[in-house]
Amino acid sequence: MIMKRLFTSIITLLATLPMLSQGWPENYPGVMLQGFYWNGYADSQWLLLDKQADNLSKVFDLVWFPQSGNCGGQSMGYDDFYWFPGEGRYTTSFGTEEELRSLITTFKAKGIGIIADVVINHRKNVSNWVDFPKEVYNGVEYELKSTDICSDDDGGATKNWATKNGYTLGNAEQPSEVYSGSCEGWSGMRDLDHTSQNVQTTVKAYLHMLLEDLKYDGFRYDMVKGYPGKYTAMYNKYANPTFSVGEFWDGYAPNCIKWLDATKDENGVIQSAVFDFAFRYTVRNALRGSSSDNNNNNWKQAANMELLSAGSVMSNENYRRYAVTFVENHDTELRDANNQQDPIRKDTLAANAYLLAMPGTPCVFFKHWLAYKQEIANMIAVRKAIGITNMSSPTTIGYKKDYYAVQVTGSNNKKLLCVVGKDAATYTPNSDAWKKVISGYHYVYYVQGIEPSAISLPEITDEPKPTEAPFGGVPSFCTVNDGEICAFFEAPVTWGAISQTWAWMKNHDGKEYLGVEWPGVNATLLGKADNGNKVFKWVSTKTTAPDFIIFSGAGAQTKDLPFVNCGYYTKDGNKAIVSTGIHTINADNQSPVRIYSIDGKLMHEMPKGTSETEALNQLKHGIYIVNGRKVVK
């Protein structure tokens, strides 16, 4: 804990020094955790992370949070919509603004810094191709305009639409400082023109808010290939974060280094770190091997790569300070998922053992932490006891296909020998001075200059588990009349007091089913759920149920959802829950028993006084809706 308190003091000092933005601290001993994974909404709830603070503070110095502004529905945050706090604008799939602020306060009290995911390459529109939300923060109005969009956005499709509808766009994508040609575009949303004064002013205010109001410590910039690195330098010089790292997705280290050089300020000082994708792919390839290796490990090729200055950013002694190393993240786990070893599917512990022994600033993937908390905690404890920093020096000791042994020198001449691979357990160090401290599947750590007994390994205690989904249950005021075709929707608080419903059959549009144009008919506001979200009810006037349904409000909408009769659709708009919490109204308890299929079709109706059991006995095994309740036979 002495080292932890020392680190906290260093962070406090760094935070109080004015205008010292230099991308990433030198000789930094910390380790970062990516606090989420793709679609990991339940595991990364703000309330749940808050309860894990004790364990996390024993191990990690930084935690990277997902983008925390509201995106208008269930979202990982990369379709950014709101940038500034306000009523409901920071209520997301991970929790409310109040829960976020409480979590940041808790983490800071325990010495954990927080990295904000910053998405400024692109932004979601309100209702058409070129409009953005108008936000007022601290009495100042911020609103991006059509002239803040790159003129070649979406391959020219945006410009064609804008011209037809009387709008003007901004400048084209700027020339790349790394590749020939312009910076990358992305057709998913509108690419922002960072030459625009309005974009620059708004981004600066946004970043300042993240640091000064929400109390983040630094930024993880998403998709920095989309605009020149000089703008990252500009924004960081203004906001002055302690930490900054860019997602420059390129497996060739010299290109990442070119981007680092592009972030230099007028004094030649690099203003951001970079994720070391080359390091990640080196480890991935070592674990995957090749067809000639029968797809088994081949650490020899990893060693050969790291012996080259082009191997990774970490392997370049002039730039390793700015290398944020990792072996998996939310994107690499998803990309090319059918590939034999992308994501990493084997030797996860060996991959992390190597990651946590090497210089650079390691970033542990959340899924790996959830699966191997104690072993990863032990690796980090050894790393810190040796005094390894982002600028320490590694030395390759030996390697073959089935093992790789690398030595890293820390502070006060303490040393760590990391051996990974199938033969790690049988590898014999070249000196009796090496003493084994920890080991596991395909990895061993030896130390020199410190007794293993002097290294305190943290005890990771049991933590609260997430529920199946962040859902508080169906409110008691959600009631169903006999034979009613209806649906309930828990709307995000940002949607206000009105929610529209659009429903349709497979072979017909919504107008044929509802008799009106998009966005459909208004739902009835019933009340509030326990979490404060508004709950609406839609009732059909038809005798048949629709096949699909969409809920919309405040310029946002859910995706196309399969209709479930009497379904309660959660606030993320992702699924319907048919629950016994939805009550059926029977005035005299002598109504007919109506049984529907799970898709809302009337299957059977029994006379008054018939029991549900008697009715179900007439049907085959399956799942049915009986007077508004889900029943499994």
Side-chain angles (χ1 to χ4, degrees):
M1 292 305 294
I2 293 176
M3 182 172 291
K4 188 69 178 181
R5 289 194 296 271
L6 176 60
F7 169 73
T8 303
S9 299
I10 292 172
I11 291 300
T12 301
L13 176 62
L14 287 170
T16 59
L17 293 177
M19 300 307 292
L20 289 180
S21 177
Q22 293 186 18
W24 204 268
E26 61 181 344
N27 295 314
Y28 178 63
V31 177
M32 182 161 68
L33 172 70
Q34 179 177 4
F36 63 98
Y37 56 91
W38 199 263
N39 290 336
Y41 301 108
D43 282 319
S44 296
Q45 289 291 296
W46 303 142
L47 287 175
L48 189 65
L49 290 176
D50 200 305
K51 295 175 182 177
Q52 298 173 13
D54 286 338
N55 276 342
L56 295 175
S57 65
K58 297 174 185 176
V59 182
F60 297 103
D61 308 284
L62 297 171
V63 177
W64 160 22
F65 284 3
Q67 196 278 123
S68 51
N70 186 287
C71 297
Q74 185 185 50
S75 174
M76 291 301 300
Y78 295 105
D79 53 340
D80 55 318
F81 188 68
Y82 289 116
W83 282 2
F84 297 93
E87 184 179 357
R89 293 175 185 167
Y90 267 69
T91 293
T92 69
S93 299
F94 302 97
T96 66
E97 178 182 337
E98 292 73 20
E99 292 165 353
L100 172 65
R101 289 181 183 274
S102 175
L103 173 58
I104 292 174
T105 299
T106 299
F107 274 22
K108 281 184 170 294
K110 294 183 179 296
I112 303 174
I114 307 98
I115 303 299
D117 209 320
V118 172
V119 184
I120 55 174
N121 172 73
H122 52 263
R123 197 173 181 188
K124 181 191 288 187
N125 301 107
V126 176
S127 61
N128 62 35
W129 283 69
V130 298
D131 62 342
F132 297 95
K134 181 183 296 184
E135 301 177 86
V136 178
Y137 176 71
N138 283 348
V140 180
E141 183 177 287
Y142 298 98
E143 183 182 13
L144 299 185
K145 304 291 186 178
S146 65
T147 49
D148 297 320
I149 299 172
C150 292
S151 61
D152 50 354
D153 175 65
D154 204 4
T158 305
K159 186 173 184 179
N160 290 338
W161 185 94
T163 300
K164 290 178 182 178
N165 291 275
Y167 291 93
T168 302
L169 302 185
N171 295 314
E173 294 276 5
Q174 297 297 294
S176 171
E177 297 152 314
V178 177
Y179 310 109
S180 60
S182 62
C183 291
E184 284 191 6
W186 186 54
S187 60
M189 271 169 281
R190 304 291 70 79
D191 292 335
L192 300 182
D193 174 16
H194 286 267
T195 67
S196 162
Q197 185 63 52
N198 188 38
V199 169
Q200 293 176 15
T201 298
T202 306
V203 169
K204 288 177 179 178
Y206 171 46
L207 299 179
H208 186 267
M209 179 279 299
L210 290 174
L211 296 180
E212 300 302 321
D213 187 349
L214 292 179
K215 305 300 182 184
Y216 281 100
D217 296 283
F219 310 133
R220 177 266 184 190
Y221 286 103
D222 179 66
M223 197 180 168
V224 295
K225 279 187 175 182
Y227 50 95
K230 64 183 180 181
Y231 293 106
T232 299
M234 172 195 294
Y235 298 141
N236 282 346
K237 288 289 284 185
Y238 175 84
N240 193 31
T242 304
F243 304 93
S244 169
V245 55
E247 183 214 26
F248 192 87
W249 195 327
D250 193 309
Y252 185 52
N255 284 340
C256 294
I257 289 172
K258 285 182 181 179
W259 182 81
L260 288 173
D261 285 338
T263 71
K264 289 179 178 177
D265 65 7
E266 64 277 7
N267 298 315
V269 178
I270 292 173
Q271 294 297 306
S272 182
V274 69
F275 277 107
D276 197 346
F277 279 88
F279 180 95
R280 189 267 170 180
Y281 288 120
T282 295
V283 175
R284 190 279 311 270
N285 292 342
L287 298 179
R288 180 174 63 187
S290 63
S291 57
S292 61
D293 305 316
N294 295 317
N295 293 323
N296 293 317
N297 288 183
N298 188 345
W299 282 97
K300 182 177 181 179
Q301 63 183 9
N304 284 332
M305 282 298 295
E306 292 305 344
L307 290 171
L308 302 172
S309 62
S312 67
V313 181
M314 182 278 300
S315 64
N316 188 313
E317 62 180 347
N318 295 319
Y319 288 90
R320 63 171 54 117
R321 165 184 174 177
Y322 302 104
V324 176
T325 54
F326 69 102
V327 294
E328 198 80 284
N329 69 22
H330 63 296
D331 280 322
T332 59
E333 188 194 31
L334 291 179
R335 297 290 178 94
D336 200 14
N338 294 324
N339 194 306
Q340 184 266 338
Q341 183 61 16
D342 209 349
I344 292 172
R345 293 190 176 94
K346 58 184 178 182
D347 273 348
T348 303
L349 279 170
N352 279 279
Y354 178 66
L355 167 74
L356 294 167
M358 300 298 279
T361 299
C363 182
V364 175
F365 185 43
F366 199 38
K367 276 192 176 180
H368 293 175
W369 167 247
L370 294 176
Y372 303 108
K373 290 179 182 177
Q374 189 62 62
E375 289 193 79
I376 288 176
N378 292 346
M379 295 172 190
I380 295 173
V382 174
R383 173 189 180 88
K384 292 183 177 181
I386 297 300
I388 296 172
T389 75
N390 58 340
M391 298 175 71
S392 296
S393 298
T395 303
T396 296
I397 302 300
Y399 58 89
K400 292 184 178 179
K401 184 175 77 68
D402 292 327
Y403 80 86
Y404 180 26
V406 58
Q407 171 189 306
V408 184
T409 302
S411 59
N412 299 323
N413 205 35
K414 296 190 290 290
K415 299 176 182 178
L416 169 64
L417 176 62
C418 170
V419 187
V420 289
K422 189 177 72 173
D423 290 347
T426 59
Y427 174 84
T428 302
N430 57 8
S431 169
D432 292 338
W434 291 111
K435 298 182 179 180
K436 183 189 293 187
V437 58
I438 58 172
S439 62
Y441 186 72
H442 290 179
Y443 76 91
V444 182
Y445 275 7
Y446 299 89
V447 295
Q448 193 176 124
I450 185 173
E451 289 296 321
S453 59
I455 300 176
S456 177
L457 303 180
E459 180 182 354
I460 302 302
T461 56
D462 291 336
E463 296 175 335
K465 299 295 190 296
T467 56
E468 181 180 348
F471 170 65
V474 179
S476 60
F477 55 72
C478 293
T479 59
V480 178
N481 290 307
D482 286 333
E484 201 168 55
I485 295 174
C486 64
F488 301 87
F489 178 58
E490 183 184 311
V493 294
T494 53
W495 285 22
I498 298 176
S499 176
Q500 287 86 28
T501 305
W502 184 252
W504 71 101
M505 308 298 288
K506 289 180 180 178
N507 300 320
H508 303 281
D509 65 21
K511 182 178 180 180
E512 290 192 39
Y513 187 84
L514 297 172
V516 297
E517 300 284 353
W518 169 267
V521 297
N522 287 345
T524 301
L525 177 61
L526 297 181
K528 288 187 177 181
D530 290 342
N531 57 15
N533 290 324
K534 296 180 177 66
V535 178
F536 295 86
K537 180 181 180 180
W538 168 78
V539 178
S540 174
T541 59
K542 303 285 186 179
T543 57
T544 57
D547 293 312
F548 299 100
I549 194 166
I550 292 176
F551 303 99
S552 63
Q557 68 184 62
T558 65
K559 61 184 180 182
D560 296 358
L561 300 167
F563 179 78
V564 176
N565 193 33
C566 307
Y568 186 94
Y569 292 80
T570 54
K571 61 181 172 58
D572 51 34
N574 191 42
K575 65 177 181 179
I577 299 172
V578 181
S579 169
T580 54
I582 299 178
H583 302 281
T584 301
I585 298 176
N586 288 317
D588 56 5
N589 293 321
Q590 290 295 312
S591 298
V593 177
R594 294 185 176 94
I595 301 177
Y596 296 84
S597 64
I598 196 68
D599 60 358
K601 296 178 181 177
L602 180 64
M603 301 289 294
H604 207 65
E605 181 173 336
M606 299 294 287
K608 294 180 181 180
T610 306
S611 70
E612 290 182 5
T613 301
E614 289 174 320
L616 285 169
N617 284 338
Q618 309 298 316
L619 300 172
K620 298 178 181 179
H621 291 292
I623 302 175
Y624 301 96
I625 308 299
V626 181
N627 286 347
R629 294 190 303 107
K630 182 172 71 173
V631 176
V632 180
K633 179 186 177 185

